[in-house]
Structure formats: structure tokens, C-alpha cells
């Protein structure tokens, strides 16, 4: 449990820390972890406003988490609730009032809201104390609701939230809301850019890029931990990598409709043009100097390299597209990068992208069934793909399936 002075310290440093997460998913994870630590709470959720409704966008639950094998993540689906007084989160979203409920199982009959037990029943959890605060931006716009569940005393017994904790949590929520608003803006800019690039291909949506990015950071996290990358560095890399992975195919903006939308196999010439999307994507970030620009260029350039050196575009100067000196094959073509010559972000997105491409429908192909897809990875480990990454991929398959539910193709692209 935090002491008072630790709480103050946390509050002061919070805006700086939250300001560093630019990816929406990673920011929500950060906010909920800190908010729960602040009041020693077992669980919590973030709801984000989407026009007239609240979307259940992110959740944590230590009790349920402990029942999972180590490294497994809690699975949940995004559901939507109306912004009205019938639910607790809806009430706070509507009225903007903080709501501190000692025990949701004993709500007085005078309140308009009731507690929805379906989530508890489905997962086998017992919600008791619930503190729900509005997420208001500096301009006073409500962008969502933060809900903290089951405060605990030193012995781990569930207790009510203290009224004196409310102002601090409101302050926290205001800081979080500003960071969230900015991350939503960034996410929307990325999704809009991708939409522009892929507009001509209705089968590829924001859902696809969110899935690829989510698979990629999960694999990166496991890969990095094995190598002792932790703490702030890991958080920063995940943040940058998630956004960069979303943009892996943005270079397709430069590819003509006749090729991109062709509902059949590409000819050799067409495929050669298609391959340029790697270099074209990298060029979009040429002028940028930030770590994000470098990561995005790295991902775009390297996501079609192969572990065995048979991928593309190989050792090229991405400004000119020409082979690097000393890296030409006898035919004058650039030599493919192989093994660790391929940056880790590229090796990971290669696996994430192919998995998602095969399990989804494309203009040129049907979705494959899972068994057939997994075979590609069993057979491709050590040839097409980095065998370590394939091993990590198989170790997080359950999480990958959860991501598929979280970002289904038929949903709006706003999350
Ligand atoms: P994409 O649809 O996102 O596919 C990404 C990668 O997934 C492909 O990279 C490939 O490694 C893998 N993949 C996709 N479909 C299959 C498949 O049926 N079998 C196998 N073994 N692997 C598959 P690749 O091949 O370098 O293609 C890059 C992009 O080029 C594709 O991105 C897609 O936009 C386009 N493309 C590739 N082949 C065709 C095609 O036959 N027709 C059309 N219209 N586009 C194609
Ligand atoms: C609510 O806040 O009442 C709705 C979410 C839940 O099921 O706990
Ligand atoms: C994209 O990632 O921008 C489009 C989806 C794909 O072809 O992988
Ligand atoms: Fe690609
Ligand atoms: Fe892709």
C-alpha cells in the first residue's frame, strides 16, 4: 500500500509519466495500473465514450489474473452500454458525478442505477466496493469513465473506498483524461492515414492493423523479457512499436488500384511493383527524427524480409531503392537480409502480419482455417520466420485468439 507521501509523489509524476504513453491501449493499461495502486484496488475498468454510448475498453483484475498461468492475459470483450442512469458507469457518464458505492450488492432502492451482475457471474468474481469517476478533459468534455473495484485493506479484505480518497482520484482522472484524449487523437490519425492508404480495399480495416499491432507487442514483450529488457525501456518500446506496427503496410498507398484490388493472383511484374510498398512506407518517415519515425520506417521496410534471406526488399538504400554497396547479388539485385540482419521489429511483424493475413479474407483469398495457418508457422520456423519468434507466437496463441475477439473485422474502426 502507498503511504501518503508516495501518493503525492505519484500524483506529481503522473502527468509526466502518462504523457509518455502515446498508444491508446498502452496508456489505458498504465492509467488503470496507477489508479488501482493508488487506492489499493483489486480490479478496474475504463469505459470510453463513443458518440452516444460507453465502450468497455479496458479492464484489469488481479484476482482473476492470479487464476491464469503466468504471462497469460485476462481476456475480455468490448461491450457497449448506453449513457443513461440505469447502470453505474452510465450514470457517471451522464451526470459527470463521482460515485462511491460501498457495496453494489446492497444498493438502496432510491438510486436509479442497478448493478449488472452478468460480468461477475460469467467470470466468477464478486464485485463489492466500486468507485466510479468521470474522465473529463481540460475543456470539460467527458471522454469516458474510470471505474475502480474492490478496495482492499492490508490483509486483502475488501473494504469501501474512503471519501477522502475521492479528490485525489478525481485529480488523477483529470490528468488521465487529458492523456487519453491525446492518445485517441493519435490513434485516430493513424487509423485515418491507414484508411486513406487502404480505402480502395474494403477488406482491410482498422481492425486488421489493430490486431497485427496487438499480436506484435505481445510477442515483443515476451521476447524482450527473455533478454532482460524491462521497466521504462520496455514500456517505451512497446508504445512506439505498437503504433509503428499499425503502419506496416501504409506504403500500399503508393500502389495502384489495379494491383492492390486485383481479385486474383498477381503476375510477377505486378508482384514486383507490390513489393515496393515496403520502401514506399519507409520513405514516409524519412524526414522524421523521432524514435517513433525510426521504428515506423524500420517496420515498413523489414516486415517482408525472411529469416533465410529470401525476402524483400533486402539491403537497399530506402531513399533510392538501390542495393547497398557490396550487397548486390550477381544479378545486380539487392541481397535479402537474413537472420539477425533483420531488425527485431521486422521479424516480429512478419509473423503477426502473415498470421492475420491468412486468418482473414482478402480480395484475393478466403480466410484459412486455423490448423492450416499454424502449419505455415511450424514449417516456416527457421526458414521464413525467426524460430524464436515462432516459439513465442505459439506460447501466446490464447492471447492472440482473445485479440481476434477484441478487434473483429465487422466492428467500427474507432478502437
Ligand atoms: P497481405 O495480404 O497483408 O499479406 C501479407 C503476407 O501474408 C504476404 O506477403 C504473405 O507472406 C502472407 N500471405 C498472404 N496470403 C497468403 C497465402 O495465400 N499463402 C501464403 N503462404 N502466404 C500468404 P506477400 O506475399 O509478400 O504479399 C504482400 C502483399 O501483396 C499482400 O499483403 C497483398 O496485399 C499483396 N498480394 C500478395 N499476393 C497477392 C495476390 O495474389 N493478389 C493480390 N491482389 N494481392 C496480393
Ligand atoms: C456498471 O457500471 O454498472 C456496468 C458495468 C458492470 O457490469 O459492472
Ligand atoms: C495495413 O496493414 O495497412 C493493411 C493490411 C495488410 O495488408 O496487412
Ligand atoms: Fe506488407
Ligand atoms: Fe499487412
Amino acid at each position: 500500500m502507498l503511504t501518503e507521501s508516495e501518493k503525492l509523489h505519484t500524483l506529481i509524476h503522473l502527468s509526466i509519466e502518462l504523457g509518455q504513453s502515446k498508444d491508446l491501449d498502452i496508456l489505458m493499461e498504465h492509467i488503470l495500473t496507477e489508479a488501482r495502486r493508488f487506492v489499493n484496488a483489486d480490479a478496474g475498468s475504463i469505459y470510453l465514450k463513443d458518440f452516444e454510448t460507453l465502450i468497455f475498453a479496458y479492464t484489469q483484475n488481479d484476482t482473476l489474473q492470479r487464476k491464469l498461468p503466468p504471462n497469460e492475459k485476462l481476456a475480455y470483450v468490448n461491450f457497449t452500454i448506453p449513457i443513461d442512469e440505469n447502470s453505474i458507469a452510465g450514470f457517471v457518464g451522464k451526470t459527470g458525478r463521482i460515485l462511491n458505492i460501498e457495496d453494489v450488492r446492497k444498493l438502496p432502492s432510491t438510486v436509479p442505477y442497478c448493478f449488472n451482475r452478468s460480468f461477475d457471474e460469467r467470470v466468477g468474481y464478486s464485485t463489492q466496493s466500486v468507485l466510479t469517476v468521470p474522465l473529463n478533459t481540460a475543456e470539460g468534455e467527458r471522454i469516458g469513465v474510470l471505474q475502480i473495484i474492490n478496495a482492499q485493506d492490508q490483509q486483502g479484505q475488501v473494504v469501501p473506498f474512503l471519501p477522502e480518497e475521492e479528490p485525489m482520484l478525481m485529480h488523477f482522472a483529470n490528468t488521465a483524461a487529458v492523456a487519453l484524449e491525446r492518445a485517441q487523437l493519435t490513434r485516430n490519425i493513424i487509423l485515418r492515414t491507414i484508411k486513406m492508404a487502404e480505402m480502395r480495399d474494403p477488406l482491410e480495416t482498422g481492425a486488421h492493423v489493430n490486431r497485427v499491432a496487438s499480436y506484435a507487442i505481445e510477442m515483443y514483450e515476451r521476447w524482450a523479457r527473455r533478454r532482460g529488457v524491462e521497466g521504462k525501456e520496455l514500456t517505451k518500446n512497446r508504445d512506439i512499436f505498437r503504433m509503428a506496427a499499425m503502419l506496416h503496410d501504409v506504403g500500399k498507398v503508393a500502389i495502384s488500384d489495379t494491383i492492390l484490388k486485383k481479385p486474383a493472383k498477381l503476375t510477377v511484374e505486378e508482384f514486383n511493383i507490390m513489393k515496393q510498398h515496403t520502401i514506399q512506407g519507409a520513405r514516409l518517415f524519412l524526414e522524421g527524427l523521432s524514435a517513433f519515425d525510426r521504428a515506423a520506417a524500420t517496420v515498413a521496410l523489414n516486415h517482408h524480409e525472411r529469416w533465410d534471406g529470401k525476402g524483400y526488399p533486402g539491403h537497399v538504400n530506402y531513399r533510392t531503392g538501390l542495393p547497398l554497396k557490396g550487397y548486390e547479388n550477381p544479378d545486380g539485385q539487392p541481397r535479402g537480409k537474413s537472420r539477425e540482419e533483420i531488425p527485431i521489429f521486422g521479424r516480429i511483424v512478419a509473423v503477426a502480419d502473415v498470421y492475420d493475413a491468412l486468418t482473414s479474407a482478402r480480395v484475393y483469398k478466403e480466410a484459412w482455417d486455423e490448423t492450416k495457418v499454424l502449419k505455415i508457422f511450424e514449417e516456416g520456423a527457421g526458414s521464413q520466420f525467426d524460430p524464436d519468434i515462432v516459439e513465442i507466437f505459439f506460447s501466446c496463441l490464447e492471447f492472440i485468439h482473445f485479440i481476434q475477439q477484441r478487434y473483429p473485422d465487422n466492428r467500427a474502426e474507432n478502437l
Side-chain angles (χ1 to χ4, degrees), residues 248-249 252 277 303-304 353:
H248 67 274
D249 269 339
K252 284 182 181 174
H277 80 278
H303 74 280
H304 287 295
D353 183 36

Side-chain angles (χ1 to χ4, degrees), residues 250-264:
V250 71
K252 284 182 181 174
V253 72
I255 308 299
S256 78
D257 265 12
T258 31
I259 295 177
L260 196 65
K261 281 171 91 172
K262 185 177 175 181

